[in-house]
Amino acid sequence: MLFFTLAGWSSVPLFVTHFSQSMNVWTQNGWRYLLGAMVWAPVLVWGWMKGTTPKGLWGKSVMPAVFNALGQAAFTWSFYNVDTATAAFGLRTQIVFLAVGAYLLFPSERALLRRPGAWLGIVLVVAGVVGTMLLRDTSHDMARSVGGSGNPLLGMAAAVAGGLLFACYGLAVRKNMHGFHPVTAFAAISQITAGISIVLMIALSRDAAEGLDFGMAAWGLSAGQMGMLLLSAVIGITLGHAAYFVSIARLGVSTTSGVLQLQPFCVAIAQFAVYGKLMTPGQWAAGTVAVIGALVLLWVQWRQTRAASARVGADVGAGVIAGEESEGIEAAEMEAMPVESDGERGG
């Protein structure tokens, strides 16, 4: 399941890049999240029919959904302006923003940034991400998208902004959704995210003549392309997250997060296979530095969490989202993550 998640999430940037040639950012986001939310909707319908929908679910889902929708927009926009692999490495800055955000929001996490190893990890991530940008092959810098400027600096800035917004999303999930089952939480968040993305699509989507088209460009896709759009939504938003939750339950948060740090390399390899664009040797070296930095940060957090758990004998209920408990930056990363009992943690 973990490698399915890795493969699925590595394919999403390629889908986004593919559709950048036929739809603008807002249209692609609106349709992809609409399709993905439709697949998650039965989870909520079933809960409503059984009368098991948790109290306060919708109200507490709003803030995470806002950050998720804005993060999705920045994430998608990055691939409209810089090559797929470079943008994927830029998104690794998320883990730095998570560490800082956890320090500000959760007192139990403040010890992390007092450790030299954490700062070493942060410096390596930042240096590696900057390196992948500066050492890229500039022949890749060409406009090839609908509504994209082809500006690589803008693309990289969007990737970093996406990392920041996804970090805010993960932290908001942990802060607001404490006690909810992650599948139920993500199903609710996905509905609101879809609503926001559709509103943005209707308000901002424009055709080549700079006229509002309300996202109607998708209707011009062939049946095969529409099927591919649906597939991208199912892989990235539905099956990918389902496999992700299963991976955490079976392997633990630390192992799952560590393996998923390989995603930018998978994207780079896939980019070459699909588009014939290979990262430069300098980018491979810088990207390796960034991923090593992320792993160092996760390792320092893992050791800190283990030590804290050993001291207090902590054992929180499985199957719900972490709140104030010392679950670490990996427990907020990317999506709602279930809390594990001490015997279930991986790594």
Side-chain angles (χ1 to χ4, degrees):
M1 280 295 182
L2 177 55
F3 289 104
F4 178 85
T5 305
L6 179 62
W9 283 356
S10 296
S11 71
V12 171
L14 299 175
F15 280 117
V16 172
T17 299
H18 171 76
F19 286 111
S20 71
Q21 302 173 29
S22 55
M23 292 183 288
N24 60 47
V25 171
W26 312 108
T27 298
Q28 181 169 178
N29 267 351
W31 279 96
R32 288 183 66 252
Y33 241 94
L34 171 62
L35 295 170
M38 288 172 63
V39 178
W40 277 102
V43 173
L44 300 169
V45 173
W46 179 251
W48 175 76
M49 292 175 62
K50 293 181 64 180
T52 57
T53 301
K55 184 178 180 181
L57 173 66
W58 291 104
K60 293 190 175 185
S61 298
V62 172
M63 182 180 292
V66 169
F67 283 125
N68 190 28
L70 296 177
Q72 289 290 338
F75 165 83
T76 304
W77 186 254
S78 66
F79 299 111
Y80 278 62
N81 292 280
V82 72
D83 68 274
T84 312
T86 301
F89 277 104
L91 287 162
R92 284 297 85 207
T93 54
Q94 175 189 353
I95 198 168
V96 175
F97 293 124
L98 279 168
V100 175
Y103 176 86
L104 295 174
L105 291 175
F106 303 106
S108 61
E109 301 300 335
R110 291 175 184 167
L112 175 66
L113 294 188
R114 300 190 186 105
R115 295 176 179 266
W119 286 102
L120 172 62
I122 288 172
V123 169
L124 290 175
V125 170
V126 173
V129 168
V130 171
T132 58
M133 178 63 185
L134 296 179
L135 299 173
R136 73 189 188 283
D137 182 354
T138 56
S139 67
H140 292 174
D141 297 343
M142 59 185 71
R144 47 153 171 63
S145 59
V146 175
S149 67
N151 185 335
L153 293 178
L154 179 60
M156 204 61 184
V160 174
L164 170 61
L165 289 164
F166 281 142
C168 291
Y169 165 49
L171 293 166
V173 165
R174 182 178 172 191
K175 189 76 174 178
N176 282 26
M177 310 304 289
H178 174 49
F180 293 106
H181 191 280
V183 173
T184 303
F186 184 74
I189 290 170
S190 69
Q191 306 307 307
I192 301 175
T193 301
I196 295 171
S197 299
I198 291 168
V199 169
L200 291 173
M201 176 178 70
I202 293 172
L204 300 174
S205 182
R206 296 177 179 273
D207 61 19
E210 294 300 317
L212 287 173
D213 72 348
F214 307 107
M216 298 303 291
W219 290 111
L221 297 176
S222 66
Q225 290 295 300
M226 183 60 80
M228 187 178 293
L229 184 63
L230 174 61
L231 180 63
S232 72
V234 170
I235 290 176
I237 301 172
T238 307
L239 295 181
H241 288 93
Y244 178 63
F245 295 141
V246 171
S247 298
I248 290 172
R250 292 181 178 177
L251 301 175
V253 170
S254 298
T255 300
T256 302
S257 296
V259 172
L260 290 178
Q261 298 307 312
L262 299 175
Q263 187 223 17
F265 292 115
C266 296
V267 172
I269 294 169
Q271 174 183 258
F272 175 70
V274 175
Y275 298 112
K277 296 179 179 179
L278 187 63
M279 292 201 309
T280 66
Q283 280 189 301
W284 282 104
T288 300
V289 169
V291 170
I292 289 174
L295 292 174
V296 168
L297 199 52
L298 286 171
W299 180 72
V300 172
Q301 176 62 73
W302 177 80
R303 290 194 63 187
Q304 176 179 302
T305 303
R306 280 294 191 180
S309 297
R311 285 196 302 272
V312 301
D315 184 19
V316 293
V320 297
I321 296 170
E324 295 292 342
E325 291 84 358
S326 182
E327 286 298 303
I329 53 176
E330 74 273 18
E333 189 179 21
M334 304 187 76
E335 303 296 348
M337 295 186 180
V339 179
E340 306 156 88
S341 67
D342 191 57
E344 292 174 326
R345 291 185 188 275

